[in-house]
Amino acid sequence: MFELIKAGGWTIWPIILCSVAALAIIGERLWSLQKKYVAPATLLAQVQQWLVDSDIEPARIAALRASSPLGKILAAGLINRDHEREIIKEAIENAGRHVVPELERYLRSLGSIAAISPFLGLFGTVIGMIEMFSGIGQHGVGDPSIVASGIAIALINTAAGLGVAIPSLLFYRYFRGRVNDLLIEMEEEAVKLVEILHGERESD
């Protein structure tokens, strides 16, 4: 591996930095976008029990808001529970708009890495070709090591760029779909809460 990096020349280092950043983002998002951290399955049932027991205290709402993104949305509904349906829905929607950037955190960076990595590989390829032809121009074609060195730089950078871009793009698409699924699920839970607050839905 170290020999490949060395043979790739200085142009491979930006690709390596992109790969490190991509791995960090992928690991963080795989951990943070777990359902148990974003939309716990028992959270709405817990809120329902508080409503049944008439035990909605400010401390409980604060703890609910800090527990998860879904908790922030449900807390916004509980705070406005004595208002009309439209006001509750508006409060929930406003909370949801603040939750979206939290779920999409770092995804733009991951998408950017997926987009620029092939170009970084192409840049390394061009540099390798330039070095190869420059060496040929100075020393002729009698020394095959000059040609081999330039081709090695070109191929290694191309492969490295694609090696970073392909998994980055796959995980970017996966995380976008994951965020959309979680948002739909949280929206359904929020609608249930609104219906429960207005007596239009019984506890599940």
Side-chain angles (χ1 to χ4, degrees):
M1 180 62 70
F2 289 110
E3 290 299 322
L4 285 175
I5 293 174
K6 184 178 179 181
W10 64 268
T11 54
I12 200 171
W13 286 106
I15 300 175
I16 293 175
L17 292 176
C18 285
S19 69
V20 173
L23 284 174
I25 293 172
I26 290 169
E28 191 277 339
R29 288 291 84 189
L30 283 173
W31 179 266
S32 299
L33 291 179
Q34 295 181 67
K35 186 176 183 297
K36 63 181 179 180
Y37 296 130
V38 178
T42 60
L43 199 58
L44 182 59
Q46 184 181 46
V47 172
Q48 290 175 344
Q49 189 60 48
W50 292 349
L51 291 169
V52 170
D53 298 338
S54 298
D55 191 17
I56 307 295
E57 299 177 354
R60 287 189 181 274
I61 295 177
L64 178 65
R65 185 186 294 111
S67 65
S68 63
L70 176 59
K72 293 180 181 178
I73 294 173
L74 298 182
L78 287 180
I79 291 173
N80 295 277
R81 62 188 179 278
D82 295 327
H83 295 285
E84 298 177 355
R85 170 190 285 267
E86 292 303 318
I87 294 178
I88 297 175
K89 288 179 63 177
E90 183 178 345
I92 287 175
E93 289 173 357
N94 185 57
R97 284 192 291 270
H98 287 82
V99 163
V100 172
E102 181 179 344
L103 297 181
E104 294 182 343
R105 185 172 51 192
Y106 306 132
L107 292 191
R108 287 186 179 180
S109 298
L110 185 60
S112 297
I113 290 172
I116 67 173
S117 293
F119 292 105
L120 291 174
L122 179 60
F123 176 70
T125 300
V126 172
I127 295 298
M129 293 294 100
I130 291 174
E131 289 191 10
M132 181 183 70
F133 286 113
S134 176
I136 291 175
Q138 293 179 7
H139 304 284
V141 295
D143 188 357
S145 64
I146 297 175
V147 177
S149 175
I151 292 177
I153 293 174
L155 294 180
I156 290 171
N157 279 274
T158 300
L162 293 176
V164 174
I166 292 172
S168 297
L169 180 59
L170 289 175
F171 276 103
Y172 173 77
R173 296 290 188 184
Y174 167 75
F175 289 137
R176 295 291 298 184
R178 181 65 175 159
V179 168
N180 288 335
D181 291 342
L182 289 170
L183 288 174
I184 291 172
E185 186 170 343
M186 289 191 291
E187 182 180 357
E188 292 173 350
E189 296 290 281
V191 169
K192 289 179 183 179
L193 177 63
V194 173
E195 294 174 347
I196 291 170
L197 291 174
H198 283 268
E200 299 171 0
R201 183 185 183 93
E202 300 296 331
S203 298
D204 293 334

